[in-house]
Amino acid sequence: MWYIFTGVPLLGALIHFFLSKKPKSINRITELLLLWYLGVGIGIGSLFSGLVQVLSPEIVAQSTGWGYSPFLREVGFANISYAVLGLLAVRFRNFWTPVIIAYAIFMWGAAAGHIYEIQQTGNLSAGNAGAVLYMDILMPVFLIILLIIYHKTQKNNKSSSIVV
């Protein structure tokens, strides 16, 4: 499922960019990528993950190769909180940085847990290793880079439009 929540935002942002009547720029494409990844990738993706963890934690336990624990439901509620924040970030730009920071901490913590599990038990289940692990590490990096580019190009756009 990870590919849906990485591919759909990319496709949505590109379509949005090319159909938009606003001027095309690096700032505009990073803005749209952030909007789509925050809203769909984190918002809807985390809502989906959170609901599965809350309603069917046994499925998550099986996919990760871990034993069932009531703690999986708690992680599900954490995911739902990221979902709400991601969806709010579509409307409120001042949420972008805090959402990305919180998401990065959670995902990198999850990645550390996956790596520990691989080292200690050799658990290479689909929900513990491979694409899941790489996305836990790389998606926050991607969002941080987009945010930095967005802010740098936004400053350049504002300073170049100032008439002296």
Side-chain angles (χ1 to χ4, degrees):
M1 295 300 280
W2 64 267
Y3 51 89
I4 293 172
F5 298 110
T6 57
V8 170
L10 177 61
L11 184 61
L14 290 173
I15 292 170
H16 194 154
F17 180 73
F18 288 111
L19 294 179
S20 176
K21 295 185 186 332
K22 291 187 178 182
K24 311 289 188 254
S25 67
I26 296 293
N27 183 260
R28 180 67 175 150
I29 191 61
T30 56
E31 173 188 32
L32 293 174
L33 285 166
L34 283 163
L35 284 170
W36 279 85
Y37 274 101
L38 289 169
V40 176
I42 293 177
I44 296 172
S46 294
L47 181 61
F48 176 80
S49 295
L51 288 174
V52 170
Q53 290 165 323
V54 168
L55 301 174
S56 301
E58 303 82 16
I59 292 172
V60 176
Q62 185 179 15
S63 77
T64 59
W66 302 341
Y68 166 77
S69 166
F71 183 68
L72 287 169
R73 281 197 171 94
E74 292 182 28
V75 173
F77 284 109
N79 268 313
I80 292 169
S81 74
Y82 300 121
V84 171
L85 291 172
L87 293 170
L88 285 170
V90 172
R91 175 74 171 102
F92 302 105
R93 304 290 170 93
N94 60 337
F95 273 48
W96 288 8
T97 301
V99 171
I100 292 170
I101 290 169
Y103 183 75
I105 291 168
F106 179 75
M107 298 309 285
W108 289 337
H114 294 306
I115 292 167
Y116 178 82
E117 185 74 13
I118 291 166
Q119 290 176 335
Q120 295 300 307
T121 67
N123 179 355
L124 298 175
S125 298
N128 192 61
V132 168
L133 174 58
Y134 295 125
M135 294 309 297
D136 284 357
I137 296 167
L138 296 175
M139 187 53 70
V141 171
F142 175 67
L143 293 171
I144 291 166
I145 290 168
L146 283 177
L147 189 64
I148 291 167
I149 292 169
Y150 174 76
H151 285 297
K152 285 187 182 267
T153 58
Q154 187 178 39
K155 289 176 186 173
N156 290 343
N157 285 347
K158 286 181 182 178
S159 64
S160 65
S161 63
I162 296 173
V163 177
V164 181

